[in-house]
Amino acid sequence: MPEIAEPRPLLVQIYRMLMADKFALCGVIFLIILAVSAIFGPIFLEDAATRPNLRGRNAPPLSMENGWVNFLGTDSVGRSMLARILVASRNTLQISFISVFVALSIGCALGLIAGYSTPRTSNLILRGADIIMSFPSLLLAVIVLYMLEPSIFNLVLVLAITRVPVYLRTTRAEVLEVRERMFVQAAVVMGASKRRIILRHILPMVIPTLITIATLDFAFVMLAESSLSFLGIGIQPPDITWGLMVAQGRPYLVQAWWLAFWPGLAIILTTMSLNLLSIWMRTALDPVQRWRLEIGRKTND
Amino acid sequence: MKAFIGKRAISSVISLVGLIIMVFFLSRLTGDPTALYLPLDASIESRELFRELHGLNDSIWLQFWNYVQDIARLDFGDSIRRSRPALEVVLEAFPWTLLLAFITMILVTFFAVLIGSLAAFRAGGVFDRFTSTFSLIGSSAPDFWVAIVAIVIFAVQLRWLPTSGTGTIWHWILPITVLFIRPFGLILQVVRGSMISVLSSAYIKTARAKGVKTRPIIFVHALRNAMLPVITVIGDQAAAMLNGAVVVETIFGFPGIGKLMIDSILQRDFTVILAAIMVTALAIFIMNLLIDLAYTLLDPRIRY
């Protein structure tokens, strides 16, 4: 009898598949560094990010003269750019993460309902999604943020609502496909309750797709938040996000380009990492495609 | 086909009505509506006068009825800052945005289809990898940042192009380029993916076996079928272009509807915002219908 190899632990599998895609690996490393510094950085650098230092105004970047904290230069009142970017990253990432999480949860729940209920309920839910989809998300956010106050809570609310249809439609489409499969039919025949079928049989099939979309969406939401903050209707000072930092650096573009350049670069690198990660996930989470990453590994044991 | 178009039109109308209702209730039920129409430092007396004048003391249903009637008559009231009908202000700005979006979309479609098809033909090749990288960077870059960096390089340092305005053809280059980048990257990827799957189908192999040259195979045989998913994405992106237009117009001082909306928000000119929303929604509604029509014309299999 041929021996069946023990499946490797999950982390080892992920590590091996990441090694097969060097771009995704770079993206993941960048995101991990970013997440760690966004969580712990502000604890040490809060002071450098808020205390003005009028003698060290607009210090140019890429020199160690003013200490490593000012390696990326200082802004118009002498605050360290590096520290400010880290403090802003916390806001930027937090807002995007919560928005995506809320949109994912609501969209997934509604999608499951729409995919597994009467046509009438399903139609009602889809029409609602159509209304949101039929209008450009940024314009919708602009209007709502004008009528409500531009606070962090409202910003998250608006961003989440505009993204719900994406998850809703994906979930529904997947549910419609999965519910016809043999194992679901079998569960129905064996008398499983609707609730059990949805939560135990269908949901686990849908989640990988949703997580891949959420990764890409994180980048989209981050760009949307940055645009809103840049236009002055998102996060309000003294709170800062990357988009707001670009806006604040704009008047000084000619004298001190680094004020607007670094936060913009931070946005690009983050969205690019997320894009690369989602491309990798699309392959890694798909059982039909996964072999491409498993076979691509260099070392064989 | 008529039934299909009719069905789509009805569902778009429902969306439009939903939007109108949402805007009304958001504007009336979240705090004091006079705060939306009047400047922040308006006195209590002027607020009371405004309430009296515009029937804001009536019951919410009567207000809603009046609001619906006004919209049906295309009467959005006067712009408070400009003391002209709001609709007039909006319709003045709208053609600018339309032209900007139209030119950009034509360029995007042309280049995305051309380059995407060529990349798909040698998938995995040097050209393909180069375009993939470019489209990845393009879709990751925030447009407002690209815009201001472009201004610093091309307008301030090199002095090749003007920073803002619409006077000459040179004024259009930077806004169009910035607007171009993101939809180009996205549509390019869709064209490439769709083209790869079409190129592997049997009828293409037949054509190749018969000795048809490469260029007609890509641009005549394959393209027509590969365009179907692309059309949908082009429609989505054309609507999403208004997102970009808000940012780009504001930065380049371009007198379109995006800049008008942001200006009206900063000046708290609510009637103009309302009129702009309705005009935009209507434009998107018409565009969606056109996309559906294009779809049915391209694919004779679709007979709803």
Side-chain angles (χ1 to χ4, degrees):
Chain A
M1 215 170 90
E3 238 176 87
I4 297 168
E6 280 279 308
R8 297 198 181 84
L10 190 65
L11 272 177
V12 177
Q13 270 184 35
I14 291 177
Y15 170 75
R16 280 173 183 275
M17 284 200 278
L18 261 180
M19 290 308 277
D21 186 344
K22 290 289 182 304
F23 289 111
L25 184 70
C26 294
V28 169
I29 292 173
F30 178 80
L31 289 175
I32 290 175
I33 295 175
L34 182 69
V36 169
S37 44
I39 293 167
F40 298 107
I43 300 171
F44 305 107
L45 293 169
E46 189 81 64
D47 186 47
T50 49
R51 193 192 53 225
N53 170 17
L54 293 178
R55 290 180 68 191
R57 274 183 310 194
N58 288 344
L62 307 178
S63 90
M64 293 299 243
E65 242 169 66
N66 304 307
W68 64 271
V69 178
N70 295 331
F71 182 66
L72 295 183
T74 57
D75 71 0
S76 50
V77 284
R79 294 172 296 194
S80 152
M81 282 302 288
L82 178 69
R84 275 172 70 76
I85 284 183
L86 284 183
V87 172
S89 73
R90 184 183 259 186
N91 282 333
T92 306
L93 297 178
Q94 231 169 22
I95 291 170
S96 313
F97 185 81
I98 298 174
S99 308
V100 170
F101 185 76
V102 171
L104 176 76
S105 318
I106 298 175
C108 178
L110 286 175
L112 286 172
I113 295 171
Y116 217 86
S117 63
T118 57
R120 181 183 280 187
T121 324
S122 162
N123 258 331
L124 195 72
I125 294 175
L126 286 177
R127 276 294 94 78
D130 276 350
I131 296 178
I132 300 173
M133 292 276 279
S134 67
F135 210 65
S137 54
L138 193 64
L139 285 191
L140 210 61
V142 163
I143 300 153
V144 175
L145 284 177
Y146 173 71
M147 290 192 262
L148 310 172
E149 297 284 295
S151 66
I152 292 188
F153 177 80
N154 287 337
L155 191 63
V156 167
L157 190 75
V158 168
L159 289 172
I161 288 175
T162 53
R163 299 317 289 165
V164 163
V166 178
Y167 300 99
L168 196 164
R169 287 173 163 219
T170 316
T171 311
R172 180 178 163 274
E174 290 265 309
V175 169
L176 289 184
E177 196 253 322
V178 170
R179 67 184 278 187
E180 298 305 323
R181 291 215 202 149
M182 193 62 86
F183 68 91
V184 178
Q185 304 281 319
V188 174
V189 172
M190 282 190 273
S193 68
K194 248 190 181 177
R195 203 187 128 111
R196 188 181 166 86
I197 289 175
I198 292 178
L199 294 182
R200 294 297 296 273
H201 295 275
I202 294 182
L203 189 61
M205 299 292 288
V206 182
I207 289 235
T209 320
L210 290 183
I211 290 184
T212 310
I213 295 179
T215 314
L216 202 59
D217 221 30
F218 194 98
F220 184 91
V221 168
M222 214 177 76
L223 287 178
E225 183 275 318
S226 304
S227 300
L228 287 171
S229 297
F230 175 81
L231 292 171
I233 39 186
I235 294 295
Q236 304 293 320
D239 284 332
I240 45 171
T241 65
W242 288 339
L244 189 60
M245 284 181 76
V246 175
Q248 289 172 342
R250 198 175 153 206
Y252 305 95
L253 264 181
V254 182
Q255 307 93 309
W257 53 269
W258 53 92
L259 299 189
F261 183 81
W262 295 127
L265 193 68
I267 297 175
I268 291 195
L269 289 178
T270 314
T271 42
M272 211 147 81
S273 302
L274 288 162
N275 273 319
L276 291 169
L277 184 62
S278 87
I279 293 171
W280 172 81
M281 277 164 98
R282 208 175 301 156
T283 320
L285 292 174
D286 182 352
V288 184
Q289 298 279 327
R290 191 177 293 154
W291 60 271
R292 290 173 195 278
L293 292 171
E294 286 169 341
I295 226 162
R297 62 170 186 255
K298 292 272 153 52
T299 51
N300 230 336
D301 47 9
Chain B
M1 198 176 94
K2 261 184 195 152
F4 167 68
I5 299 290
K7 212 170 163 186
R8 296 290 301 217
I10 289 171
S11 88
S12 299
V13 168
I14 294 175
S15 300
L16 208 59
V17 171
L19 189 74
I20 290 173
I21 295 174
M22 190 196 81
V23 167
F24 175 79
F25 283 102
L26 263 180
S27 66
R28 298 301 150 100
L29 296 182
T30 53
D32 183 7
T34 59
L36 294 175
Y37 288 94
L38 295 179
L40 288 174
D41 55 351
S43 65
I44 299 173
E45 289 81 35
S46 63
R47 277 177 202 276
E48 274 312 314
L49 193 67
F50 187 85
R51 278 176 172 280
E52 207 50 57
L53 216 61
H54 289 84
L56 290 176
N57 291 327
D58 299 339
S59 79
I60 191 91
W61 299 110
L62 186 63
Q63 283 186 48
F64 184 62
W65 174 237
N66 290 331
Y67 165 84
V68 170
Q69 276 184 321
D70 284 349
I71 285 182
R73 283 200 310 265
L74 289 177
D75 177 10
F76 296 98
D78 283 357
S79 156
I80 285 165
R81 294 284 157 168
R82 298 178 179 83
S83 48
R84 282 165 53 201
L87 189 65
E88 207 179 288
V89 178
V90 171
L91 289 182
E92 229 163 66
F94 198 68
W96 288 103
T97 304
L98 206 60
L99 192 62
L100 182 68
F102 186 72
I103 297 175
T104 313
M105 219 51 218
I106 297 270
L107 291 173
V108 165
T109 311
F110 177 76
F111 283 107
V113 167
L114 182 74
I115 296 174
S117 307
L118 293 177
F121 193 70
R122 296 220 188 289
V126 179
F127 184 70
D128 182 30
R129 273 192 226 164
F130 177 75
T131 51
S132 294
T133 313
F134 180 81
S135 81
L136 176 71
I137 298 173
S139 55
S140 304
D143 38 15
F144 57 89
W145 185 77
V146 176
I148 61 174
V149 171
I151 286 183
V152 170
I153 296 176
F154 295 105
V156 179
Q157 300 292 339
L158 298 173
R159 294 178 185 280
W160 287 354
L161 296 165
T163 52
S164 64
T166 52
T168 63
I169 196 158
W170 302 106
H171 288 93
W172 290 70
I173 293 180
L174 281 182
I176 287 179
T177 313
V178 174
L179 263 183
F180 178 87
I181 295 173
R182 189 158 331 146
F184 173 72
L186 278 164
I187 296 174
L188 179 81
Q189 286 306 314
V190 178
V191 172
R192 179 183 171 274
S194 166
M195 202 66 172
I196 286 177
S197 72
V198 170
L199 280 176
S200 65
S201 60
Y203 80 98
I204 294 293
K205 285 182 187 139
T206 314
R208 208 174 283 181
K210 281 179 166 174
V212 182
K213 295 222 168 56
T214 309
R215 210 177 298 163
I217 284 187
I218 300 178
F219 292 109
V220 180
H221 292 87
L223 191 59
R224 195 175 155 135
N225 276 319
M227 275 307 274
L228 288 175
V230 178
I231 295 271
T232 324
V233 183
I234 288 176
D236 290 349
Q237 286 306 306
M241 190 153 272
L242 279 162
N243 284 342
V246 173
V247 173
V248 166
E249 285 175 5
T250 313
I251 293 178
F252 290 107
F254 195 90
I257 202 154
K259 183 172 190 305
L260 180 70
M261 282 187 92
I262 295 296
D263 285 351
S264 307
I265 280 177
L266 297 178
Q267 299 165 352
R268 305 194 71 77
D269 199 346
F270 191 60
T271 45
V272 175
I273 299 174
L274 258 186
I277 296 168
M278 294 308 159
V279 171
T280 321
L282 199 67
I284 291 173
F285 161 71
I286 293 170
M287 196 191 62
N288 282 337
L289 274 186
L290 290 178
I291 297 279
D292 286 340
L293 264 175
Y295 216 86
T296 43
L297 288 180
L298 261 179
D299 189 355
R301 281 171 301 184
I302 297 177
R303 290 271 178 269
Y304 295 89

